[in-house]
Amino acid sequence: MTDSPTTAQKIAFRRKTIRTMKDELDQTLSSVQSRNYQAAKTPFESAKKKWFTFGGTIKRIAPDLYEIIDPGFKTVNTLLNQASPQQGNLTAQLQRVVEAATKAVTISDATE
């Protein structure tokens, strides 16, 4: 018989994962600002996987942030995967997602 995670463990995991996602978005932004688009793809893909796991939680606890982050991930993904990404637009979109993700971390940390 296996023990399922407690509510506290699930909350701690969610908080840690959302913080990690935000850190990966910061890394993506830093690489994009350096015009190293290939290097930006690795942390972005990892952050995107975390978003697919916890986006619904953010939608539940902070729907306004979800409405920024979810389409932001889609837009950044499209821009980052262009043959010649548009530096200004990509940077602006990423900054918007990073700002919303920063708020999501704060809200997630404060929410049970």
Side-chain angles (χ1 to χ4, degrees):
M1 187 157 119
T2 58
D3 292 331
S4 60
T6 65
T7 300
Q9 288 170 325
K10 290 178 184 176
I11 292 168
F13 179 72
R14 181 199 73 215
R15 289 174 178 164
K16 179 181 177 199
T17 302
I18 291 172
R19 280 193 298 273
T20 302
M21 178 189 77
K22 193 265 184 201
D23 291 344
E24 290 166 341
L25 288 169
D26 287 340
Q27 293 168 12
T28 303
L29 180 58
S30 178
S31 293
V32 165
Q33 289 170 329
S34 300
R35 297 183 184 273
N36 190 344
Y37 305 116
Q38 198 58 43
K41 290 179 182 182
T42 300
F44 182 73
E45 287 300 316
S46 184
K48 192 168 65 171
K49 287 177 186 170
K50 288 172 181 63
W51 177 248
F52 287 142
T53 302
F54 286 97
T57 300
I58 297 301
K59 186 175 186 177
R60 180 178 51 80
I61 64 176
D64 54 327
L65 294 177
Y66 177 87
E67 293 302 324
I68 296 168
I69 298 171
D70 193 61
F73 262 104
K74 293 171 184 159
T75 301
V76 168
N77 188 59
T78 299
L79 294 171
L80 188 57
N81 286 299
Q82 291 177 336
S84 298
Q86 301 169 345
Q87 175 73 16
N89 193 12
L90 179 55
T91 299
Q93 290 293 330
L94 258 172
Q95 285 173 328
R96 188 165 187 236
V97 173
V98 166
E99 287 170 13
T102 300
K103 292 175 185 172
V105 167
T106 302
I107 290 170
S108 174
D109 283 353
T111 304
E112 291 301 320

